[in-house]
Amino acid sequence: MSTPRQGLFGTGVLRSMGVSLRHLLLRKRTIQYPEQAAGIGYRFRGRHIFHQDVCIGCTQCERVCPVIAIKMEEHKDPGTRKVVVDRFALDLGICYYCGLCEEVCPTDPKAVHLGPDFELSTHDRRLLVYEMDQLVGPKPPPSKPKAGAPVTPASRGGEAAPDA
């Protein structure tokens, strides 16, 4: 059996002191949470936002939800023969925030999408069931460019070419 190689006595202590000194001199990353907002990533998935005027009542979001957190009630308007959503309820206490409901939504812009709100704590679970009037927010930009709009590298998600 070979014995582990021993270094000089005290090198581990010196290395750990160096790490401590380096962190002592670095800029602090602590933010004062209620007063300062934390940075939220571009693809952050927070509380759902529902737009009743965009929704076509196809119930795909309800069917794709893996934990059955979405409940929809709709009826067909006899005059216009369009499907009207009567109720869109979302139980955020059991929601995974997986984003499947947003992915299957066939409308553009999406009728249901995940927004930036993450402060959802409450003392009563019944308050985590949000109805459609509580799920309001800004509409996302359309995923497809309008017809005739110029296509630039930045609009395709790439970097713009630097000016030479």
Side-chain angles (χ1 to χ4, degrees), residues 38-82:
I40 295 176
Y42 170 70
R43 299 176 85 165
F44 179 78
R45 296 188 296 218
R47 183 182 59 87
H48 297 67
I49 297 174
F50 177 70
H51 303 286
Q52 187 177 7
D53 56 333
V54 178
C55 182
I56 58 174
C58 64
T59 68
Q60 287 187 18
C61 55
E62 180 182 23
R63 286 181 274 156
V64 78
C65 185
V67 291
I68 313 170
I70 299 174
K71 303 282 189 243
M72 286 184 75
E73 294 175 8
E74 67 282 327
H75 73 279
K76 191 175 273 192
D77 186 21
T80 61
R81 300 192 45 86
K82 286 189 175 184

Side-chain angles (χ1 to χ4, degrees), residues 57-136:
C58 64
T59 68
Q60 287 187 18
C61 55
E62 180 182 23
R63 286 181 274 156
V64 78
C65 185
V67 291
I68 313 170
I70 299 174
K71 303 282 189 243
M72 286 184 75
E73 294 175 8
E74 67 282 327
H75 73 279
K76 191 175 273 192
D77 186 21
T80 61
R81 300 192 45 86
K82 286 189 175 184
V83 177
V84 178
V85 177
D86 298 323
R87 180 173 187 245
F88 183 88
L90 180 65
D91 189 354
L92 294 177
I94 62 172
C95 180
Y96 286 163
Y97 299 94
C98 61
L100 290 175
C101 55
E102 181 178 8
E103 288 180 21
V104 300
C105 185
T107 61
D108 192 29
K110 301 290 187 185
V112 61
H113 60 97
L114 299 166
D117 189 15
F118 61 91
E119 298 170 332
L120 303 171
S121 61
T122 181
H123 293 289
D124 190 2
R125 286 187 182 184
R126 291 174 291 192
L127 296 176
L128 289 174
V129 177
Y130 283 66
E131 296 292 332
M132 65 181 162
D133 58 336
Q134 296 171 302
L135 296 170
V136 295

